[in-house]
Amino acid sequence: MNVNARINREDVRKYLLTDVSSCTFTFSDGLKSRMTPSPESEIVMVKLIPRTSKSKHFEDSVLRNYSAAKNMNELARSCKYDCLRTFTRHFKKCFGQTPYQWMLDRKMEEIQSLVFNSDISITEISRMYDFKSVSHLVNAYSKRFGISPHKSRLSNAI
């Protein structure tokens, strides 16, 4: 056995609890979990990091930065992620959809608000939100809301 293997095994042993009949974990949200090993088992203590705190921090970071980001790469960088794949994986876990789809949904909600609550032309809105063309915006809006932005504005004015 080499020296590194012996050191690692010794490090693990100092965290084994042999004379423990049970262990109760109390989480910050008030939930408790009790662990009772069989007599021949040992309890291994581990540091538990609540998922909610990590996901809440991630969610706050995304919500704080998304309005300034023009695309997923900018959003990932502003949330301190160098790897887009890692950012996307965390994003899907937290929000249940890809960053692209989520950003498009937010963008469409903002556009709908502008259509309903302003006199800004559809052409100008498409420029503001970096759509390739007005027809691209109209198609995306119609697909999302089932009605064109112009008809939507007219029906809201009535």
Side-chain angles (χ1 to χ4, degrees):
M1 169 166 49
N2 74 34
V3 176
N4 289 336
R6 193 179 79 238
I7 290 171
N8 289 340
R9 192 172 289 161
E10 288 170 4
D11 286 344
V12 170
R13 283 189 186 145
K14 70 182 176 184
Y15 295 107
L16 292 176
L17 305 175
T18 54
D19 294 328
V20 175
S21 59
S22 71
C23 185
T24 302
F25 297 98
T26 304
F27 299 95
S28 59
D29 61 1
L31 292 176
K32 291 184 178 186
S33 180
R34 184 179 174 99
M35 192 168 93
T36 308
S38 62
E40 63 276 348
S41 298
E42 296 174 324
I43 293 178
V44 177
M45 295 299 295
V46 295
K47 181 177 180 180
L48 300 174
I49 301 171
R51 177 174 282 189
T52 55
S53 66
K54 277 187 169 184
S55 64
K56 183 66 175 149
H57 174 71
F58 179 80
E59 182 179 339
D60 290 345
S61 178
V62 167
L63 294 174
R64 189 174 46 252
N65 293 302
Y66 94 92
S67 61
K70 290 188 177 188
N71 56 42
M72 292 183 306
N73 291 326
E74 284 185 20
L75 181 58
R77 277 192 300 267
S78 63
C79 292
K80 310 280 191 266
Y81 281 83
D82 293 328
C83 178
L84 187 60
R85 292 178 86 188
T86 302
F87 176 74
T88 301
R89 184 170 33 87
H90 288 280
F91 198 99
K92 282 181 179 178
K93 279 184 181 178
C94 187
F95 290 96
Q97 58 188 150
T98 66
Y100 173 80
Q101 188 59 52
W102 186 86
M103 287 180 75
L104 183 60
D105 287 349
R106 300 297 78 70
K107 189 187 284 192
M108 294 310 295
E109 289 168 5
E110 291 171 14
I111 290 169
Q112 184 182 42
S113 179
L114 286 174
V115 167
F116 286 158
N117 302 314
S118 77
D119 292 331
I120 301 172
S121 72
I122 306 304
T123 304
E124 185 58 31
I125 293 172
S126 72
R127 278 193 216 114
M128 287 170 51
Y129 284 89
D130 295 327
F131 279 87
K132 294 175 188 172
S133 65
V134 177
S135 63
H136 183 219
L137 168 63
V138 170
N139 289 337
Y141 189 97
S142 299
K143 184 177 179 182
R144 172 89 156 95
F145 300 110
I147 187 172
S148 73
H150 182 71
K151 287 181 182 177
S152 186
R153 181 174 273 172
L154 293 175
S155 67
N156 190 50
I158 296 175

